[in-house]
Amino acid sequence: MKIKNNDIKTVAPPLRFPEFRDAEGWEQTILENTCEMQAGKFVPASNIYEKRENEMYPCYGGNGLRGYTYSFTHSGVYLLIGRQGALCGNVTFVDDTFHATEHAVVVTCKEGIVPRWLYYQLTKSNLNQYATGQAQPGLSVEVIKKIAVSIPKEINKQIGNKEQQKIADCLGSLDDLISAVTDKIETLKEYKKGLMQQLFPAEGKTTPTLRFPEFQNAGEWEEILLGNISTFINGRAYKQNELLESGKYRVLRVGNFFSNNNWYYSNLELEDNKYCIKGDLLYAWSASFGPRMWNEEKVIFHYHIWKVIEHKGISKDFLFTLLSYETERIKKQQAKGLGLLHITKEAIESWKTRITKNVLEQQKIADSLSSVDELISAETDKLDQLKTHKKGLMQQLFPTINK
């Protein structure tokens, strides 16, 4: 049921802009009092294309952008709420001509409601918590309608709109910064990818396209197997009861190879080659496989990860860069569009590559690419800080909902 007038609760956000600090509190209501909602329209998967061409429109489904279609259902400013799948409850702000599928709920804001302001409030509300169903989680329009929201109490609509707009503009400016930093990271990654292709010989070539001046006459690169210049050491397989919530050593698994999430621990004492320490080169060979230079404390590495030991005459930094380059080639040549889930030890040891035997040239290549990695890392840290700041600001700019 809708909230009755005598049931209306007044709340206030912890942080308000100076011009609204003496205004009344916010009124708690339900979502259907702020907007109208309707499911999108079915479109066959065969009519959704990955790349956009002329006269095509974005197509949004339950998990955001699905692709592009020649048909459209809406034109203007709307919010879209995913209603099916693991990511149901995600909110997308759209100001465009687009097609919304039946898996998206199209939200049309009523008079007096600023769409982008409502977008941020719904994002903060974590609508996924209201999903039902195990195998295929979902949100019905009827459930979404009854979700609690809060609105600046209006002496008149103009004042209420101003506070909504101020919040939307503030958070929107942060989103613009986040988007700019994200674009910069992607540009740097593409630059690094292109630079790697220039610094290593292309397929069928014996020298790279781009070579530092002091090595222009250093001769051809030698063809060799990865197993001839490095040793891949297996990690240890664990039974579930051997993985602890806390303990002496962290266990590095594929799931946290590129992140610090969901660590397990072990108290087992193992042979030295089953630990990795700061400065070790590692390679995950399952799922999101690829190399990583370990720069943290001592950990045990799992079976799905190799420790890679460089042979004499090979720079470890260069080997890391070489493995990064060859991983991309392996993915392209062996995945064949189906998605490569893992690579065997035999396959990577027998993988043909070319290297310069000049250690100084090896290090020069590694250093040049490492400098790009440092830029990417710095921008990634900045991105994380912006996201953390935005999350904290949203907690301050919107009241806590009284359920």
Side-chain angles (χ1 to χ4, degrees):
M1 293 177 65
K2 295 181 180 179
I3 295 176
K4 298 177 182 178
N5 289 336
N6 58 359
D7 290 333
I8 291 177
K9 298 174 184 177
T10 301
V11 291
L15 178 66
R16 286 181 103 167
F17 294 100
E19 59 267 44
F20 305 108
R21 285 174 186 164
D22 295 326
E24 296 184 65
W26 291 25
E27 290 180 345
Q28 184 169 309
T29 183
I30 53 177
L31 191 54
E32 71 173 336
N33 291 337
T34 69
C35 58
E36 296 176 352
M37 286 166 276
Q38 187 175 17
K41 185 178 179 181
F42 171 77
V43 59
S46 58
N47 291 351
I48 302 175
Y49 300 88
E50 184 177 348
K51 294 183 179 179
R52 187 173 191 173
E53 297 180 357
N54 292 335
E55 300 180 358
M56 296 180 75
Y57 306 96
C59 178
Y60 293 92
N63 296 329
L65 184 67
R66 280 192 60 188
Y68 302 92
T69 63
Y70 286 102
S71 61
F72 68 89
T73 57
H74 297 79
S75 185
V77 181
Y78 297 89
L79 310 185
L80 304 177
I81 301 174
R83 59 191 290 255
Q84 275 196 323
L87 298 179
C88 68
N90 70 88
V91 189
T92 304
F93 178 86
V94 184
D95 183 359
D96 204 350
T97 301
F98 62 95
H99 190 118
T101 75
E102 77 280 12
H103 296 308
V105 176
V106 182
V107 177
T108 306
C109 291
K110 293 182 177 180
E111 184 181 0
I113 301 298
V114 176
R116 200 167 188 94
W117 168 85
L118 185 60
Y119 159 74
Y120 288 118
Q121 179 161 184
L122 294 183
T123 301
K124 175 183 176 291
S125 298
N126 181 26
L127 302 184
N128 183 262
Q129 66 180 303
Y130 302 104
T132 58
Q134 295 288 333
Q136 182 70 1
L139 274 171
S140 71
V141 172
E142 290 306 311
V143 167
I144 297 172
K145 283 181 179 180
K146 306 305 178 186
I147 290 172
V149 293
S150 53
I151 307 173
K153 193 172 183 180
E154 301 173 339
I155 298 172
N156 58 60
K157 288 182 179 178
Q158 187 177 16
I159 292 177
N161 277 345
K162 282 184 177 178
E163 186 167 12
Q164 291 178 37
Q165 192 63 58
K166 190 86 171 182
I167 293 169
D169 290 344
C170 172
L171 293 171
S173 65
L174 265 178
D175 273 342
D176 290 342
L177 279 174
I178 288 170
S179 179
V181 174
T182 301
D183 288 345
K184 187 173 182 180
I185 292 171
E186 290 307 310
T187 299
L188 285 169
K189 286 180 178 179
E190 286 300 312
Y191 171 72
K192 180 189 174 185
K193 191 175 179 180
L195 186 58
M196 286 177 68
Q197 291 171 348
Q198 297 285 306
L199 290 173
F200 288 92
E203 193 74 34
K205 302 293 183 180
T206 59
T207 56
T209 304
L210 178 63
R211 212 162 185 184
F212 296 101
E214 60 268 42
F215 305 111
Q216 290 286 350
N217 300 316
E220 297 182 342
W221 286 32
E222 179 182 341
E223 185 175 70
I224 201 164
L225 304 181
L226 283 175
N228 290 341
I229 60 171
S230 55
T231 300
F232 295 82
I233 300 172
N234 285 327
R236 184 183 186 278
Y238 283 83
K239 297 177 181 178
Q240 191 59 42
N241 61 6
E242 292 180 326
L243 297 174
L244 310 174
E245 295 296 328
S246 63
K248 186 175 181 180
Y249 301 107
R250 290 191 297 172
V251 178
L252 179 63
R253 301 172 302 140
V254 172
N256 45 28
F257 189 75
F258 295 108
S259 74
N260 280 316
N261 298 327
N262 303 319
W263 282 96
Y264 281 99
Y265 295 79
S266 172
N267 291 321
L268 296 176
E269 296 293 341
L270 307 174
E271 56 267 34
D272 289 344
N273 65 3
K274 299 304 179 187
Y275 299 96
C276 60
I277 59 174
K278 188 173 182 178
D280 281 344
L281 174 55
L282 305 174
Y283 194 99
W285 55 267
S286 178
S288 299
F289 60 92
R292 176 180 176 179
M293 291 291 276
W294 188 248
N295 289 310
E296 300 181 31
E297 64 185 26
K298 182 178 180 179
V299 297
I300 301 171
F301 60 101
H302 194 268
Y303 175 71
H304 290 126
I305 295 168
W306 297 312
K307 183 192 292 188
V308 187
I309 308 298
E310 74 281 6
H311 292 181
K312 186 176 180 181
I314 301 297
S315 159
K316 181 183 292 185
D317 294 329
F318 174 75
L319 181 58
F320 166 75
T321 300
L322 179 66
L323 287 173
S324 299
Y325 175 72
E326 294 299 345
T327 295
E328 292 304 311
R329 289 184 60 222
I330 291 169
K331 288 178 180 178
K332 285 181 180 179
Q333 292 190 23
Q334 293 194 4
K336 297 179 181 178
L338 298 177
L340 190 59
L341 298 179
H342 69 276
I343 180 170
T344 65
K345 188 174 179 181
E346 180 183 6
I348 199 163
E349 288 177 339
S350 60
W351 186 263
K352 289 182 180 179
T353 186
R354 283 188 179 274
I355 65 166
T356 172
K357 298 299 283 286
N358 189 313
V359 178
L360 293 177
E361 186 176 14
Q362 292 178 17
Q363 196 60 50
K364 187 90 172 183
I365 291 168
D367 289 345
S368 65
L369 291 168
S370 177
S371 65
V372 182
D373 280 335
E374 289 173 4
L375 288 173
I376 293 172
S377 179
E379 293 300 322
T380 301
D381 287 344
K382 184 189 296 184
L383 181 62
D384 290 340
Q385 291 169 12
L386 284 169
K387 287 180 176 179
T388 299
H389 176 59
K390 177 188 169 186
K391 184 177 180 180
L393 192 56
M394 288 177 69
Q395 296 295 330
Q396 296 288 305
L397 290 174
F398 290 96
T400 299
I401 298 292
N402 298 314
K403 297 181 180 179

